[in-house]
Amino acid sequence: MKDFLTDAVQTLVTFLQGLGQLGLFFVSLLVYSPRTLVRRPQLVMRQVYNSGAMSLTIILTCGLFVGMVLGLQGFDTLQRFGAEEALGTFAALSLVKELGPVLTALLFAGRAGTALASEIGLMRATDQLAAMEMMAVDPIRRVVIPRFLGGVISMPFLAAIFNMVAIFGAYLVGVSFMGVDEGSFWSQMYANVAVADINQGIIKSVVFGVVASLLAVFEGYNSVPTAEGVGRATTRTVVITAIVVLIMDYMLTAALIG
Amino acid sequence: MSEPRHEVPERDSPSCTESKVGEPDKAIVEIQDVAFTRGATRIFDGLNIRIPRGKITAVMGPSGTGKTTLLRLMTGQLTPDRGQILVEGKDVHSMSRTELYAMRRKMGMLFQNGALLTDLDVFENVAFPLREHTNLPERLIRHIVLTKLHAVGLRGTWRMMPSALSGGMARRVAMARAMATDPEIIIYDEPLGGLDPISMGVILRLIKRLNDALNITTIVVSHDVQEIASIADCSYLISNGKVIASGKPDELRENANPIVQQFMTGMADGPVPFHYPGPDYSEQLLGGSSE
Ligand SMILES: Nc1ncnc2c1ncn2[C@@H]1O[C@H](COP(=O)(O)OP(=O)(O)O)[C@@H](O)[C@H]1O
Ligand SMILES: [Mg+2]
């Protein structure tokens, strides 16, 4: 019992230390980000291109199929109430407010986040970061911040692309396969999706973009500099991002709806 | 202030590693009574080293003695528990970050495996410190980079990626990069590790040539005793956290200390045992799986 208690306390302390470290790391990124954005925009744009282009295929594929599933399930549920024409509204609201931001963040973590974590981790393991330090170049500013900002900037766009493809998927299934009236599919969607709904989605995707990018560069930068350590950092990136994004999704939803 | 120089040929003459009265600032780097611990391991305890200006100084010792750690202490990447490290008379660990970065710009360091930036090609790797620290026009950068690459014999690889280079070539590119900003001190960590004899010879000659031609201070950390001793002006041998011998290569070879002898001649067993401590061999063999 006493062992269990000391273990629990130990775990808690480690957790809080990690959280503090993450907080300080985040602050230092925020402090230097504006300067990097102004002075070295080309470094940031290259990373927007990297993480954006990297995730595009998976976003397009998954978006299409998520939308098609929504079309099937939505149609099946709505026709029980005789409300099939509401399919457009149903799909758009689920996507814009929830599925778009959340799934994009999870896919981003799996594709771009892991790549960022392992890239930075490998740079540490192979002394590239130490070599920069020795050339009087701060790796936080030269390596970490451009990658962080690249993720933060690309995430809302990826979420928007995900939503558009997914709505097309729902349209394809609902209208072309299930015979929902095309006019009511779109007109109901226009009539019922409010600006506030879209804003909610944008806020979420921005927050998740910060979370996913921060965790990826943090895990990579602080990984143990061995092959095993880099592997562990990559896994942790996906697991922790998923947990944090889903918890924050609930909190954000409660705050934005409430 | 300088007294007349008298070269004393006796055995106990101040060798390259001791300060001479009247020449107090001959050392460019001075490590004074440094102690450093990592976890529970005491890596250094009372380490004293003087690196003379303009010479090639070798720091040698078995793997795991802390040679890389020493370089990281010297360049301010790690902080000692005790003692101080002076570079050009200034304590590295009481410098501000700006001062530290200014000091590092006068140093070039070659990491164990070159540490080239994997997302940049050879040309951009050598150009990296120039692009980060200067606003030189592209034409001048091109000129400097190609000159440095030519000096290490790799001008032809300028558009190759680091992953396409052999170990020896990667190290030569890293040398060109370290030389790009014309440093006053250049530091090599295991420059010969894992190289074939031809590449070793190439690197050794390059180290010597760069040191002589540019009149810079060279620090080489290595366990390849014979090879490094052939170019070093003075050497330090560290073991168990302390300097156990120092002097010109000949002085080390004549040193009577059995550990020094074992290290200089490369014998497998001696004061440094071949066997990691363990239970008695025959007992362990007969003891079955429960042991
Ligand atoms: N990051 C680290 N954390 C803990 N111990 C380390 C670390 N780096 C090196 N060590 C230990 O410090 C000792 C010296 O390492 P190092 O300086 O790399 O030796 P060398 O370069 O002489 O082979 C070794 O025993 C090594 O296990
Ligand atoms: Mg080493």
Side-chain angles (χ1 to χ4, degrees), chain A residues 17-49:
Chain A
Q17 276 171 346
L19 208 59
Q21 213 186 348
L22 178 67
L24 287 176
F25 189 79
F26 186 39
V27 170
S28 67
L29 293 195
L30 290 184
V31 168
Y32 293 122
S33 280
R35 208 182 310 175
T36 306
L37 209 49
V38 173
R39 288 204 200 152
R40 311 288 293 270
Q42 74 285 10
L43 282 182
V44 179
M45 287 326 287
R46 194 184 311 154
Q47 295 305 327
V48 172
Y49 174 78

Side-chain angles (χ1 to χ4, degrees), chain B residues 33-47 65-66 68-70 72-73 77-83 85 93 241:
Chain B
D33 191 32
V34 159
F36 184 74
T37 1
R38 215 155 204 173
T41 342
R42 186 139 214 119
I43 297 182
F44 297 120
D45 195 359
L47 188 73
T65 34
T68 302
T69 308
L70 176 65
R72 290 186 189 270
L73 285 165
Q77 298 171 58
L78 293 172
T79 310
D81 302 337
R82 190 186 76 217
I85 295 170
H93 299 94

Side-chain angles (χ1 to χ4, degrees), chain A residues 11-23:
Chain A
T11 312
L12 187 69
V13 169
T14 317
F15 173 75
L16 290 177
Q17 276 171 346
L19 208 59
Q21 213 186 348
L22 178 67

Side-chain angles (χ1 to χ4, degrees), chain B residues 66-140:
Chain B
K67 300 182 297 296
T68 302
T69 308
L70 176 65
L71 296 185
R72 290 186 189 270
L73 285 165
M74 217 184 272
T75 52
Q77 298 171 58
L78 293 172
T79 310
D81 302 337
R82 190 186 76 217
Q84 51 179 351
I85 295 170
L86 307 177
V87 174
E88 303 210 293
K90 279 170 101 182
D91 183 359
V92 173
H93 299 94
S94 58
M95 286 181 185
S96 68
R97 190 183 172 79
T98 320
E99 286 175 311
L100 190 64
Y101 270 14
M103 176 198 85
R104 285 183 184 163
R105 289 179 62 175
K106 292 195 233 158
M107 291 180 158
M109 178 157 170
L110 208 83
F111 285 81
Q112 228 150 319
N113 288 307
L116 295 176
L117 306 178
T118 37
D119 56 343
L120 302 178
D121 65 13
V122 165
F123 183 95
E124 286 303 321
N125 260 286
V126 181
F128 182 84
L130 299 169
R131 292 200 195 288
E132 291 294 321
H133 293 306
T134 66
N135 278 320
L136 297 176
E138 190 56 35
R139 219 167 44 83
L140 192 52

Side-chain angles (χ1 to χ4, degrees), chain B residues 136-242:
Chain B
L136 297 176
E138 190 56 35
R139 219 167 44 83
L140 192 52
I141 289 189
R142 193 182 154 87
H143 181 87
I144 297 174
V145 171
L146 292 179
T147 313
K148 304 292 174 185
L149 279 174
H150 187 75
V152 296
L154 291 179
R155 192 167 33 82
T157 68
W158 67 308
R159 278 298 170 229
M160 283 163 78
M161 293 306 284
S163 54
L165 302 174
S166 72
M169 283 157 82
R171 258 172 256 193
R172 277 149 73 192
V173 172
M175 278 167 98
R177 180 177 69 179
M179 304 304 301
T181 47
D182 294 323
E184 291 167 26
I185 305 175
I186 183 154
I187 300 173
Y188 300 90
D189 190 359
E190 303 284 7
L192 308 180
L195 294 187
D196 60 89
I198 298 178
S199 308
M200 267 194 199
V202 170
I203 300 263
L204 277 175
R205 273 190 295 278
L206 271 175
I207 294 177
K208 180 89 179 124
R209 203 170 74 205
L210 291 177
N211 182 77
D212 295 351
L214 305 169
N215 199 21
I216 48 184
T217 305
T218 305
I219 304 171
V220 188
V221 145
S222 180
H223 53 231
D224 296 293
V225 184
Q226 310 293 341
E227 291 81 4
I228 295 296
S230 70
I231 58 162
D233 295 310
C234 48
S235 311
Y236 285 88
L237 196 53
I238 49 178
S239 176
N240 292 322
K242 278 193 169 62

